[in-house]
Amino acid sequence: MSADYWEAGAVARLDALLDEAAAEVEQLALAEQQFRSQMTFELSLFRQRVAKIMKDNRDYEDRCVSLEMKLDDASENLSKLSESSTQAVREKGLAYKERRKELLRKCEGMVESNKEFKQDFEKVAEIKAFDALCAKYPPPKGLDTGLAQMDLGPR
């Protein structure tokens, strides 16, 4: 009879332990799901902010390139000034030509610096990896991520 008593106690303890463990597993599963949802939510928000900044930055690049084109167009007028019969006009033309070169170098340098930063940023942020993670673990429902519509430019 004592064996039956011991077995009944062991079964009761094991039932309680397994019930407690099952409840803990359910809580852990919820915690994991909440963690994943929170992380993908934050990642999606970060991705949206980065996409907006990158889109705004394209305007910056376009403005630099447009300015470079305007300065290139001015070269014809500068050539005509250098052919002038007046010394003061020729000197002014040379000064304009030097200033134009300086401005072009600055624009080209800014565009190059901007491209270099974007490459460095991509190495650190690995936006493609963000996209893959969000595809595997989608952000919570109801979040307007629009990840498919966001374009960060050439990769």
Side-chain angles (χ1 to χ4, degrees):
M1 179 125 150
S2 71
D4 290 339
Y5 181 73
W6 179 86
E7 289 173 356
V11 167
R13 284 190 301 277
L14 287 172
D15 279 343
L17 174 67
L18 292 175
D19 288 345
E20 185 180 315
E24 183 71 17
V25 164
E26 286 181 32
Q27 289 177 352
L28 289 170
L30 284 174
E32 175 192 20
Q33 188 177 21
Q34 288 173 336
F35 169 76
R36 200 180 294 161
S37 291
Q38 183 178 5
M39 294 301 287
T40 56
F41 173 80
E42 294 296 332
L43 183 60
S44 297
L45 291 178
F46 173 74
R47 177 77 163 74
Q48 286 178 335
R49 288 190 295 267
V50 167
K52 183 188 180 321
I53 292 167
M54 291 291 211
K55 182 180 177 197
D56 293 347
N57 188 261
R58 277 191 282 252
D59 179 56
Y60 165 82
E61 288 178 355
D62 291 345
R63 287 174 53 201
C64 285
V65 169
S66 176
L67 183 56
E68 287 177 10
M69 290 172 36
K70 284 180 186 177
L71 290 170
D72 283 344
D73 290 344
S75 63
E76 185 179 328
N77 289 329
L78 291 173
S79 295
K80 289 179 183 175
L81 287 178
S82 66
E83 297 169 3
S84 174
S85 58
T86 312
Q87 178 68 26
V89 172
R90 285 194 306 269
E91 288 174 5
K92 195 81 152 165
L94 288 174
Y96 285 153
K97 203 178 264 191
E98 285 303 311
R99 188 165 175 216
R100 177 188 156 276
K101 281 183 190 177
E102 179 185 323
L103 293 170
L104 272 173
R105 278 194 298 271
K106 282 184 179 180
C107 281
E108 290 166 353
M110 288 187 293
V111 168
E112 193 57 39
S113 174
N114 196 36
K115 284 180 185 176
E116 185 179 321
F117 174 79
K118 283 181 176 180
Q119 290 171 346
D120 291 344
F121 181 84
E122 176 62 31
K123 287 176 191 172
V124 171
E126 290 194 60
I127 299 299
K128 291 177 193 173
F130 286 3
D131 294 343
L133 183 71
C134 284
K136 186 173 180 178
Y137 305 104
K141 300 267 189 247
L143 176 65
D144 182 20
T145 57
L147 288 176
Q149 289 94 23
M150 286 190 258
D151 178 25
L152 296 181
R155 295 182 189 162

